[in-house]
Amino acid sequence: MSIPATFRAFRIHHSDGHRAGIEAVSLDDLSPGEVVVRAEWSSVNYKDALAGTGEGKILRRFPLVGGIDVAGHVVASTDPRFREGDPVLCTGSGLSETRDGGYSEYVRLQADWTIPLPAGLGLREAMVLGTAGFTAGLSLLRMEQNGQVPAMGPVVVTGATGGVSMLAIDILSRAGYEAHAITGKFEHLDFLTRLGARQVINRKDMHWGPRPLETALWAGAIDSVGGDTLAGLTRVIHPYGNIASCGLAGGHALNTTVMPFIIRGVSVLGIASAGTARAQREQVWERLAGPWKPAHLDAICTRETTLDELPQVFPTMLAGGSFGRTVVRL
Ligand SMILES: NC(=O)c1ccc[n+]([C@@H]2O[C@H](COP(=O)([O-])OP(=O)(O)OC[C@H]3O[C@@H](n4cnc5c(N)ncnc54)[C@H](OP(=O)(O)O)[C@@H]3O)[C@@H](O)[C@H]2O)c1
């Protein structure tokens, strides 16, 4: 398949301030990589919104094409593991951080970070999941590696209407857990229940209590909010439960005590999706395409957008107004 001399990409600059938008780029403009992919789908994550608006320091060099996720078909590869026509995906792995990302009609990927699309997933489905789904899956994988099992009791998900969290609720239900949800958008109670949340708690009604150890409420947690929410969670998790700390939508500070750790054996597990090693990455994608495949991907994908519309999508997300996942049709 021939690759056009130039194609469209959403590129981010930082000279004389932040500037981002659609440009015509060529393959040679992109970071080097063994695998050239005709990108078909990408997605919008909180990190993309930070990078695309310049509100957060995500890019470590400039200019770069934005987009931390991409899925498409291989058009050329110098690595024998990939052949023309293979469906592949890549999430994190330096995209839109140190390398040109997925908001581009063609991308150049490093073979070691390129994942063959697992059987059971379509390209668009892979991007409804994207970094958000991968992060939710990695959270549960790490919790189970540290002893979490459904019989221990319910697992709570915070920031429930966000992309990571909606997928986490669905994944937990698929994996046999009783999922509970805490949300600031209680009007979406019915939707969260449909995803599998057996209890939905209004963030406003959640009082964590001031003591280092409060009455234990949940066997584990997947937390995309951070700040006071994460601190509160440490005080209410059952003995030997796990908290997967994967986000900071509500703040990055953590003010707690060691009591939950040394009295209840609670673990806070760090979830860093972008740099996850390949073996673990493959395990997560196998589960996401198989036993943990969310049952409500169509409902969770609330918006399909284009490269041109990205500047309108980002600010809503940063203002906490997101609801579900947005995929980008390339
Ligand atoms: N560790 C990793 O590798 C990794 C990967 C992906 C994402 N993340 C992080 O995970 C978080 C969620 O990402 P996302 O893509 O799912 O974003 P998102 O779709 O914007 O979801 C964030 C959700 O957090 C809740 N929220 C927002 N502002 C809040 C506040 N001030 N206090 C409490 N809750 C608040 C909202 O849910 P409710 O209104 O329902 O409460 C919102 O929908 C972000 O911090 C992101 O950076 C980390």
Side-chain angles (χ1 to χ4, degrees), residues 44-47 50 68 131-136 138-139 158-166 182-186 188 192 203 223-226 229 245-251 270-276 316-325:
V44 182
N45 299 276
Y46 197 82
K47 199 166 167 182
L50 289 172
I68 64 172
T131 284
F134 179 76
T135 301
L138 180 63
S139 296
T158 61
T161 65
V164 172
S165 303
M166 274 190 188
I182 300 176
T183 180
K185 302 187 193 84
F186 197 66
H188 295 304
L192 295 170
R203 194 199 304 161
D223 175 51
S224 62
V225 172
T229 301
S245 166
C246 63
L248 42 55
I271 306 300
S273 65
T276 309
T316 313
M317 183 163 230
L318 293 184
S322 303
F323 179 70
R325 290 280 293 155

Side-chain angles (χ1 to χ4, degrees), residues 5-268:
T6 64
F7 45 87
R8 283 156 48 87
F10 181 88
R11 215 171 187 205
I12 304 166
H13 296 259
H14 193 73
S15 48
D16 303 326
H18 172 84
R19 178 168 59 85
I22 308 288
E23 289 174 27
V25 299
S26 71
L27 209 53
D28 289 340
D29 292 328
L30 302 182
S31 316
E34 301 85 8
V35 188
V36 181
V37 174
R38 170 71 179 96
E40 284 159 52
W41 295 98
S42 179
S43 82
V44 182
N45 299 276
Y46 197 82
K47 199 166 167 182
D48 294 311
L50 289 172
T53 54
E55 290 292 318
K57 289 198 175 95
I58 303 296
L59 273 57
R60 294 203 229 131
R61 62 182 191 84
F62 295 91
L64 278 184
V65 174
I68 64 172
D69 294 339
V70 71
H73 285 97
V74 173
V75 290
S77 174
T78 55
D79 185 292
R81 285 173 288 179
F82 298 96
R83 288 206 305 238
E84 189 179 337
D86 286 352
V88 294
L89 67 90
C90 185
T91 58
S93 313
L95 299 184
S96 183
E97 206 172 332
T98 53
R99 304 176 45 77
D100 288 294
Y103 292 160
S104 178
E105 290 170 345
Y106 290 83
V107 294
R108 251 194 327 201
L109 301 174
Q110 291 166 296
D112 284 344
W113 293 96
T114 306
I115 304 290
L117 188 74
L121 267 192
L123 287 175
R124 187 177 184 280
E125 286 181 321
M127 289 295 99
V128 176
L129 288 162
T131 284
F134 179 76
T135 301
L138 180 63
S139 296
L140 185 55
L141 183 74
R142 292 216 59 207
M143 289 169 76
E144 291 199 340
Q145 285 169 342
N146 204 39
Q148 196 79 36
V149 289
M152 287 166 70
V155 172
V156 70
V157 178
T158 61
T161 65
V164 172
S165 303
M166 274 190 188
L167 288 160
I169 292 167
D170 202 330
I171 288 166
L172 282 166
S173 306
R174 291 278 285 136
Y177 290 83
E178 178 175 328
H180 293 184
I182 300 176
T183 180
K185 302 187 193 84
F186 197 66
E187 62 274 22
H188 295 304
L189 164 80
D190 289 346
F191 186 88
L192 295 170
T193 306
R194 205 172 114 209
L195 293 187
R198 301 263 287 277
Q199 264 189 39
V200 180
I201 298 148
N202 191 332
R203 194 199 304 161
K204 280 197 277 196
D205 298 336
M206 192 62 224
H207 304 292
W208 300 102
R211 294 175 298 176
L213 295 173
E214 293 285 349
T215 304
L217 300 174
W218 293 291
I222 297 182
D223 175 51
S224 62
V225 172
D228 291 344
T229 301
L230 178 55
L233 284 170
T234 61
R235 306 200 281 272
V236 297
I237 297 297
H238 283 285
Y240 287 96
N242 295 285
I243 303 170
S245 166
C246 63
L248 42 55
H252 67 271
L254 177 58
N255 182 13
T256 187
T257 73
V258 299
M259 301 304 271
F261 315 133
I262 65 171
I263 304 294
R264 287 190 179 154
V266 168
S267 297
V268 177

